[in-house]
Amino acid sequence: DSGVTQTPKHLITATGQRVTLRCSPRSGDLSVYWYQQSLDQGLQFLIQYYNGEERAKGNILERFSAQQFPDLHSELNLSSLELGDSALYFCASSVDFGLANYGYTFGSGTRLTVV
Amino acid sequence: GENVGLHLPTLSVQEGDNSIINCAYSNSASDYFIWYKQESGKGPQFIIDIRSNMDKRQGQRVTVLLNKTVKHLSLQIAATQPGDSAVYFCAETPNTGGFKTIFGAGTRLFVKA
């Protein structure tokens, strides 16, 4: 157990639908990062939150959004889902906003399948 | 542009042999490098890191080598075991911030018993 909790582990939904992925960071970590990992692809950075505020955006589609709540858990909302959105979605947390001195701690991911 | 990649997408080694996984990066401003291991069905797990002011760092059975001249990073695993079978990612972080960490595509390591 890495300390980063992601739910659900698996999600199957139809095209056009909307889903919410949840992440609880490791205790003490203020930064939450969301990554997408498609089949045979590397980790693509989507978005980062630090202590409730959006800090950085990567290649996140407009159909996707996220937020971090006062208790520091984060949710990634994916809407108008397309087949191509099928992927593993990872949440990672770290202590620092700046240079991640100790790297990220990743959750086990949510496998999203859009049918 | 900024790019982190791997020379070999798959690597097959015999149990007990040493493994070497390579990674090239293109951003000379990168200050911090990490190797992650991702087992099937799990998230990436931190293995070892190295800062740009070092050229070698050793852990338990793992060694990371950094050659800034040619922008090359490698992970050496000694006495490879079946439990080492996984996908290994290198990642680079520029000195401008952790959120700009870029991950390579990954190398799949198979360990033959």
Side-chain angles (χ1 to χ4, degrees):
Chain A
D1 183 7
S2 68
V4 177
T5 303
Q6 285 189 253
T7 57
K9 291 191 181 301
H10 302 277
L11 197 52
I12 301 175
T13 190
T15 54
Q17 294 298 305
R18 171 190 168 95
V19 297
T20 297
L21 313 183
R22 183 188 169 101
C23 169
S24 293
R26 192 180 58 167
S27 179
D29 288 355
L30 299 179
S31 277
V32 170
Y33 305 78
W34 284 98
Y35 283 84
Q36 180 190 58
Q37 185 180 43
S38 301
L39 188 63
D40 294 330
Q41 296 292 314
L43 289 158
Q44 300 296 317
F45 170 66
L46 296 178
I47 197 164
Q48 181 211 358
Y49 280 82
Y50 175 79
N51 203 21
E53 295 185 2
E54 181 185 304
R55 287 295 188 174
K57 268 187 173 182
N59 298 321
I60 187 167
L61 300 172
E62 288 190 4
R63 299 183 286 108
F64 296 179
S65 64
Q67 55 184 332
Q68 186 179 30
F69 295 87
D71 66 352
L72 301 178
H73 91 270
S74 178
E75 292 181 356
L76 178 67
N77 301 297
L78 315 176
S79 62
S80 301
L81 285 167
E82 302 175 359
L83 296 178
D85 297 327
S86 296
L88 273 167
Y89 290 85
F90 286 104
C91 168
S93 70
S94 70
V95 173
D96 301 314
F97 154 63
L99 190 64
N101 293 303
Y102 299 101
Y104 301 158
T105 301
F106 281 87
S108 297
T110 293
R111 180 174 294 280
L112 174 67
T113 303
V114 182
V115 297
Chain B
E2 298 170 354
N3 181 42
V4 175
L6 294 164
H7 296 307
L8 299 173
T10 60
L11 178 64
S12 183
V13 300
Q14 197 69 38
E15 181 180 1
D17 288 351
N18 296 333
S19 302
I20 299 177
I21 301 172
N22 297 303
C23 176
Y25 67 95
S26 59
N27 187 354
S28 58
S30 289
D31 179 70
Y32 181 57
F33 303 86
I34 304 172
W35 280 100
Y36 288 91
K37 172 185 180 183
Q38 185 176 17
E39 296 176 274
S40 181
K42 298 183 180 179
Q45 178 186 10
F46 176 98
I47 301 175
I48 191 167
D49 61 355
I50 189 168
R51 292 205 176 275
S52 59
N53 61 352
M54 303 171 67
D55 52 22
K56 181 179 180 180
R57 190 162 188 223
Q58 288 184 295
Q60 187 177 11
R61 286 201 304 118
V62 294
T63 300
V64 55
L65 299 177
L66 176 62
N67 185 331
K68 294 180 288 294
T69 302
V70 295
K71 298 176 189 169
H72 184 266
L73 192 70
S74 69
L75 176 70
Q76 300 178 0
I77 305 173
T80 312
Q81 302 169 0
D84 295 327
S85 294
V87 175
Y88 291 81
F89 296 90
C90 64
E92 61 168 320
T93 302
N95 53 16
T96 50
F99 66 86
K100 291 188 177 180
T101 295
I102 300 171
F103 291 84
T107 291
R108 185 174 298 278
L109 176 66
F110 291 102
V111 181
K112 296 176 288 187

